[in-house]
Amino acid sequence: MKNKKLMGNLITYGLVIVAYAIVAYLLHAGRLTSLVKGLLVPICVYVILAVSLNLVVGISGELSLGHAGFMCVGAFSGAFFSKCLQDTLSFAPLRLALAIAVGAVVAAVFGLLIGIPVLRLKGDYLAIVTLAFGEIIKNVMNIFYIGLDSNGFHFSVKDQFSMGMEPGGEILVSGPMGITGTPKDASFLAGIILILITLFVVLHLIDSRDGRAIMAIRDNRIAADSIGLNITHYKLMAFTVSAALTGAAGSLYAHNLATLQAKKFDYNFSILALVFVVLGGIGNIRGSVIAAVVLTVLPELLRGMANYRMLIYSIILILMMLFNWAPRFLEWRERHLGRLFRKNRKEE
Amino acid sequence: MAAILEVNHLSIAFGGLHAVDEFSIAIEKGELYGLIGPNGAGKTTVFNLLTGVYKPNEGIIRLDGKDITGRKTRDINKEGIARTFQNIRLFHQLSVLDNVKVGLHNHYSYLTLEGILHLGRYRRTEKRMDDEAMDLLRVFDLDQEALVTAANLPYGKQRKLEIARALATRPKLLLLDEPAAGMNPNETAELMDTIRFVRNKFDITILLIEHDMKLVSGICERLTVLNFGRILAQGETSQVLHDPEVIKAYLGE
């Protein structure tokens, strides 16, 4: 099974790399419409979001509806960082890498601070509180004004005039208008690399001493306690790592937008991420990747059908849910696709 | 001989119900001790008190001379008490091997970063954990099923896996809550051999709750009988089982 697990991981990485190769080829050949080109980075962002949320929902077994909040802080801190260093650091890839690291670290700090009180709750209660924290983060970000002039930084939570800036100073963060003019450093390649890093972190974490503890606590909290596991520690670890990865995705997202506004990261965003995780299969990392891609591309492809778009989209959601969760379908999969697995096992 | 577990006047009440009242016991090192009594007598509550799931209202628990009363469950495990549960509590989505490796968790370590990068001490430590876990599984004849998901094991083997997982934490005292529940006579006989073997091989003390009198009289050296939260009888197994009070409690008048 050790080999099978490794095989599974390699297939997941391979899938991402093959997808990259195909898209890169199509890009090179000029076969992609501008609509699809515009979707490439967001797809990467959603994939990372889905995988990192699956770490909390599937691996740690806790329902979080606040991931939009972590994405929001990641996006704002990353974009803020890049805007400040725009002139001093002109090498875009390095600037992006640093901005992503900043987004991840800031989101991790938020994850830790929120996780400490919140992870005492379980199930629905935890979901409600994380949802609330996500909204709080969004609303706080929505009123922040930060400006820079020769005297240094100015802050306000009221409006841009109350910062008392000199004329000619630059407004970096402008409340509900957010951050404009972040350097557009994000690229499809950067997205793919970040996906691979995310997969590496999550898949390896699962396959380590800490990951085993996290899953053991998910499976049976009382038994985990009785064999001496520190439950809070491992719940927090999963939550913080997940928040960090989500923050990294947020930072990448910010570097693909002309204007970054906090209102984008509302609870619908968190629900969307949860839809990816549930329909891809809870605890199934590869499933999250596929679901995020399919469910991001699909609504765009259906754009031509105008009125029927959302109808078809929802039917596909239902079909995916049946395919992954209905006992009959699972049986069918076992019977027809199981044969393939059995063959694989013999070859090992 | 030194007592490994010494409990004095342990009491807990839930509301007005005295679930366990004035419970005292002294178990010697290496002993195989039985805790019996009718349903609802408070046996599992005693286990929950010993492992810190409940905090006693009164009384003292000493393990190997050290006061562990009121400590957290996980700290008590680190001090050396491990247990199994009446209703099996496995990590059902993990493999049999991983269930035992989680039990070994606190005896091996590497940094989280080493775990994520699969570098440094990771490989060496995981290998050593695999080896120790496989040795344990072999004791319980589970090594063939090491890679099976725990939920897919047959019932009897799930019970054994729970004991293996508890032993992986390297306890001084092992608490078994109805290890033979739901087993057929053959499985029970086999389990009795295993329990004896475990006690000798790992040099530990075992306290078990059991309803199967064949198992109790077969392997327990001493017994405590609980009834309505109070101690009804205590002493050598054969003596206790012939005590008219005990017979009355079990069979009625």
Side-chain angles (χ1 to χ4, degrees):
Chain A
M1 197 177 92
K2 206 81 199 176
N3 285 336
K4 218 173 95 194
K5 217 190 263 171
L6 191 68
M7 251 337 248
N9 291 356
L10 288 180
I11 290 173
T12 312
Y13 296 130
L15 213 64
V16 175
I17 292 167
V18 168
Y20 171 72
I22 292 171
V23 173
Y25 168 75
L26 290 175
L27 262 177
H28 187 72
R31 302 274 292 275
L32 292 182
T33 60
S34 60
L35 175 79
V36 177
K37 272 190 217 162
L39 269 180
L40 291 178
V41 174
I43 288 174
C44 295
V45 170
Y46 289 135
V47 167
I48 299 162
L49 177 66
V51 170
S52 54
L53 183 63
N54 208 343
L55 179 59
V56 169
V57 176
I59 307 303
S60 177
E62 299 292 359
L63 192 51
S64 163
L65 292 177
H67 268 54
F70 298 132
M71 196 143 174
C72 184
V73 287
F76 270 82
S77 53
F80 183 71
F81 175 84
S82 281
K83 255 199 109 168
C84 291
L85 287 190
Q86 202 163 5
D87 303 324
T88 35
L89 189 67
S90 55
F91 184 54
L94 178 63
R95 190 170 56 205
L96 180 68
L98 288 174
I100 286 173
V102 166
V105 170
V106 174
V109 171
F110 271 78
L112 192 65
L113 291 178
I114 293 173
I116 288 170
V118 155
L119 286 174
R120 289 158 199 275
L121 301 170
K122 286 177 223 165
D124 303 349
Y125 303 100
L126 179 66
I128 293 166
V129 177
T130 50
L131 178 77
F133 268 107
E135 286 294 296
I136 291 170
I137 290 175
K138 182 196 79 180
N139 286 320
V140 168
M141 285 300 174
N142 215 18
I143 55 164
F144 254 111
Y145 291 85
I146 301 176
L148 179 66
D149 62 13
S150 54
N151 292 329
F153 286 106
H154 295 266
F155 303 91
S156 169
V157 290
K158 237 168 110 192
D159 56 44
Q160 60 189 79
F161 306 110
S162 58
M163 285 191 291
M165 290 209 318
E166 290 172 2
E170 193 193 357
I171 293 171
L172 296 172
V173 185
S174 167
M177 301 304 292
I179 299 181
T180 354
T182 315
K184 279 196 103 181
D185 292 340
S187 64
F188 183 50
L189 179 62
I192 291 290
I193 291 171
L194 199 56
I195 290 179
L196 290 174
I197 293 174
T198 305
L199 285 174
F200 184 86
V201 169
V202 173
L203 292 173
H204 276 66
L205 181 66
I206 293 172
D207 191 23
S208 76
R209 176 175 166 269
D210 298 305
R212 263 198 309 272
I214 290 168
M215 292 187 287
I217 293 165
R218 168 199 66 192
D219 281 358
N220 202 310
R221 192 188 270 254
I222 293 172
D225 197 21
S226 85
I227 57 167
L229 296 185
N230 186 338
I231 289 173
T232 322
H233 176 84
Y234 287 106
K235 288 251 172 240
L236 259 181
M237 180 186 288
F239 198 70
T240 310
V241 170
S242 173
L245 294 171
T246 305
S251 186
L252 179 72
Y253 189 58
H255 289 80
N256 190 50
L257 295 173
T259 313
L260 173 70
Q261 294 175 336
K263 68 164 188 249
K264 253 201 171 73
F265 303 99
D266 62 357
Y267 67 87
N268 281 319
F269 207 95
S270 295
I271 301 280
L272 183 69
L274 190 65
V275 168
F276 296 154
V277 171
V278 172
L279 294 190
I282 290 177
N284 181 348
I285 302 296
R286 198 190 307 157
S288 291
V289 176
I290 296 169
V293 174
V294 170
L295 294 178
T296 314
V297 173
L298 207 63
E300 301 299 331
L301 290 184
L302 294 175
R303 231 171 241 288
M305 306 195 180
N307 294 342
Y308 299 105
R309 187 165 79 108
M310 289 327 274
L311 181 68
I312 294 172
Y313 182 69
S314 42
I315 289 173
I316 287 171
L317 284 185
I318 293 170
L319 287 180
M320 274 180 88
M321 190 168 63
L322 286 174
F323 184 74
N324 265 336
W325 296 101
R328 281 264 176 86
F329 267 98
L330 288 178
E331 212 174 280
W332 180 87
R333 270 169 67 178
E334 187 76 22
R335 211 171 325 124
H336 293 270
L337 306 176
R339 216 171 283 151
L340 290 171
F341 288 124
R342 233 167 280 144
K343 216 167 93 194
N344 281 345
R345 231 171 276 156
K346 267 182 203 153
E347 280 164 6
E348 263 172 29
Chain B
M1 267 211 282
I4 185 96
L5 181 76
E6 203 185 341
V7 178
N8 282 318
H9 307 291
L10 199 65
S11 302
I12 188 169
F14 301 112
L17 176 75
H18 294 274
V20 172
D21 201 15
E22 294 280 315
F23 180 83
S24 298
I25 199 173
I27 301 178
E28 276 158 27
K29 210 166 177 172
E31 215 173 356
L32 239 166
Y33 202 106
L35 181 61
I36 64 171
N39 287 326
K43 305 181 295 293
T44 299
T45 308
V46 168
F47 271 23
N48 284 335
L49 285 166
L50 293 179
T51 54
V53 175
Y54 301 140
K55 311 277 177 256
N57 299 132
E58 268 173 75
I60 283 187
I61 306 165
R62 281 203 190 85
L63 181 72
D64 221 358
K66 191 172 173 185
D67 185 357
I68 57 163
T69 322
R71 299 274 302 274
K72 282 194 193 118
T73 303
R74 78 172 126 91
D75 293 333
I76 288 177
N77 176 262
K78 284 179 194 159
E79 291 293 339
I81 300 184
R83 71 175 291 185
T84 66
F85 297 87
Q86 193 175 353
N87 45 343
I88 304 174
R89 291 179 181 276
L90 288 174
F91 306 129
H92 53 270
Q93 290 187 55
L94 300 187
S95 70
V96 169
L97 181 67
D98 278 350
N99 265 273
V100 178
K101 282 171 84 177
V102 177
L104 292 168
H105 189 89
N106 287 328
H107 296 287
Y108 293 89
S109 86
Y110 49 78
L111 302 174
T112 304
L113 193 65
E114 288 176 309
I116 288 176
L117 297 176
H118 282 202
L119 286 176
R121 284 172 289 177
Y122 173 81
R123 264 167 227 286
R124 232 175 322 133
T125 314
E126 286 290 315
K127 174 82 177 60
R128 283 194 292 138
M129 288 176 95
D130 280 341
D131 291 344
E132 186 173 346
M134 284 309 286
D135 285 345
L136 262 170
L137 288 178
R138 231 165 270 131
V139 170
F140 291 91
D141 208 13
L142 284 166
D143 48 323
Q144 293 299 315
E145 281 101 342
L147 302 178
V148 174
T149 306
N152 295 337
L153 277 186
Y155 183 82
K157 295 198 167 184
Q158 292 197 7
R159 285 235 169 258
K160 285 181 172 181
L161 175 59
E162 230 196 352
I163 301 175
R165 183 184 66 190
L167 281 173
T169 66
R170 300 183 191 163
K172 296 174 189 165
L173 173 68
L174 179 63
L175 310 180
L176 303 175
D177 199 343
E178 297 197 28
M183 286 189 175
N184 65 38
N186 286 335
E187 287 172 323
T188 307
E190 198 192 320
L191 180 74
M192 284 163 66
D193 290 337
T194 313
I195 291 175
R196 253 191 239 112
F197 177 77
V198 161
R199 192 257 309 254
N200 298 335
K201 181 176 161 75
F202 296 93
D203 194 24
I204 58 173
T205 312
I206 297 176
L207 170 63
L208 60 88
I209 293 175
E210 190 49 69
H211 282 299
D212 189 322
M213 282 306 147
K214 226 172 117 194
L215 185 143
V216 171
S217 57
I219 62 173
C220 292
E221 287 138 10
R222 285 199 297 157
L223 290 180
T224 288
V225 187
L226 273 182
N227 198 18
F228 298 114
R230 292 180 149 271
I231 292 176
L232 190 68
Q234 207 162 34
E236 301 286 326
T237 300
S238 52
Q239 247 172 340
V240 169
L241 289 181
H242 290 105
D243 189 323
E245 284 291 318
V246 174
I247 295 169
K248 203 171 84 184
Y250 262 95
L251 302 176
E253 287 178 76

